[in-house]
Amino acid sequence: MVKKTILGLALLLTSTGITAQKTMKAPYGGKAISDKLIGIFFEDISSSADGGLYAELLQNGSFEYNANERNGWGPSTAWKIIRPGHSLGKLDVLMTGGLNKNNPTYMRLHTERVKEFKDYKGWKGFGLQNDGFDGISVKAGANYDFSVFMRNIGSAKQLRICLVEPQGHGKDPKLLADTIIDVNDTQWKKYSAVLTPNADSKKAALQILSLTLGDIDVDMLSLMPQDTYKGHGLRKDLAEALENLHPKFMRFPGGCVVHGGGDGFWNTYRWKTTIGPREERIGLKNTWGYHQSMGLGYYEYFQFCEDLGMQPVPILPCGVNCQGANGGWNMWPTQAQDACPMSEMDEWVQDAIDLIEWANGDPEKSKWAKMRADAGHPKPFNLKYLGLGNEEKISPEFIERFKYMYERVTKAHPEIIIVGTAGPGSHPGNPDYEAGWKLAEELGMPIIDEHYYEPNKYFLESRQYDKYPRDRQTKVYLGEYAAKDKKLIDALAEGLYLLHVERNGDVVCMTSYAPLFAKKNATNWNPDLIYFDNERPYLTCSYYVQQMFGQSAGQYYYGDCVKIKDGTSLQEQSVVLNVKTRQLFVKLCNASADSKTADINLSRFGVKKTAVKTTISGNADDENNFDKQPITPRTETIKASKRMNVEMPAYSMQMIQFNL
């Protein structure tokens, strides 16, 4: 009865938002820690958005690709002219009288002859074909929403929209689905249809064919599966892979994407250009060398956070470019940053204040909140965190602009928790780290964002946070980190380090592995947590370690319940209590070639008679990739008792879940 009372009081205090360590001793002699340690960090790198999480199947549907993004690119990139049969015509790229000022480029189809050729068995017309992102993957019987903006010139036109599977030069394509659209309007108008393929295809293409002589303008073509994650336009299998991590927050949109690389301030990511109707959003050159359509914009990010029960953590630029772009890392730290004039900083401040209004404001009182409501979300998103800056060199220029922005945003919205940055390479002794922490303490900053990517040896050996002062007001968000390979030993090194972070969950409040996604044949950075192609995600060893920690979040840590016989620094353990779910999690990691034994003593808790054990194990060099997936978790129900001896196999990570 006493134990149930203690647990019930802890649950009451946690659920009402009272800081437990300030109001009572932690239950069972534990230490209060953050229960939001595991989140995700989404950046559009390695084609993570277009062609990835954003479910749009057509590439360059707005014809806005250009040579600024990649040499040789232009409006017709990802499109090809098709003239089945003896049909003839030409294509004109136009920018006068376009759909709107944000999307000026469109195509004019000029059809001169429509004639069937006997070998094409009914295929005729002049038009365009789009092969998507390395082919379009469709399923038989599934519905796909097609849409296009068109403007007729002269007499009425008839267009055939087809989903096909090309069969090679001179061969009739395999028809999967088609429809006819009649176009009469002489002003821009959106036309829609539903296409339902009659067969599966991994390499489908979409064709738009004019069947009538004359001219017609087309823009903003789209092909979307109806079956997206919760109907919100995100690719279902990739979104479900994130859901299964049980993340508590999501940081977005970057990363280096935030400040636009080294092309100039014109290329800085501005959240206001990513909301509203998709045809009015402004596409942007991606830092990683391709086009961002902004179909996955701030509205979709916030909506996805709501769908997964995550806290949104948007990151805004603060008037300074990334010092690492265009070869800057090779010259860093001598590379000078580009910084906007201080006379322009009020614009960046206003962007932050307007974002808070957009996310949290009353539509009856705020024009930005009304835009959110008009988009379909009248209720506020309840934004609590806002990041300013990402991994910038902590130069005098950065410090001046950050302070200017920080002070004005916190004055306007003191309820928002600001996340700052400790610069790249966030290790004690690094000049940016030292300058970043000095600035954080001067401002009383709530959270500072640390980043580092290191060989697995670092994560196997370092225990950085054991040495952090306990009296600092500023907490740590480990926003980007990973061992520099994707073998099992790298995942276990990260697991050891996360157990260290969990032990220091009073200092470290959040973590997120990076990068999150990478597409096959379009990868800018390795390693990544989840690889994917058009068919499925491929989950790495590190993914399963992250999942284990996401599943075992809690509010209290216990470091004295497990003793590892003959243990070394390559073995770690933790015990975490979640008073909300009344579950106790014991995690054991062994990153050595020798098996060990863990003596577990849970006498103080009163656990029930069975528990669930999940194990990740294999050879140190095992790696999940596109060809094979040797590492997957194994789950079993075991007999539970207050005192247990558990074997820790070589190269393994285990989690035992007890109910109280």
Side-chain angles (χ1 to χ4, degrees), residues 342 345 395-405:
M342 285 301 298
M345 276 304 298
S395 63
E397 294 83 2
F398 171 80
I399 292 172
E400 182 180 17
R401 285 152 184 79
F402 182 90
K403 287 176 69 174
Y404 188 90
M405 195 167 180

Side-chain angles (χ1 to χ4, degrees), residues 63 97-99 106-109 128 146-153 157-161 179-193 207-211 215-221:
F63 307 116
L99 194 56
Y106 61 98
M107 294 293 189
R108 177 166 290 175
L109 302 180
L128 294 168
F146 169 81
S147 65
V148 59
F149 282 84
M150 291 191 283
R151 177 175 61 190
N152 181 45
I153 299 172
K157 303 296 187 302
Q158 191 173 73
L159 287 96
R160 187 185 187 200
I161 313 302
T179 190
I180 299 292
I181 296 178
D182 294 310
V183 183
N184 297 295
D185 290 83
T186 57
Q187 301 296 320
W188 286 108
K189 179 181 176 181
K190 186 176 183 178
Y191 295 83
S192 302
Q207 295 181 349
I208 176 169
L209 293 163
S210 176
L211 305 179
D215 294 340
I216 188 167
D217 297 333
V218 298
D219 200 0
M220 284 302 297
L221 291 95

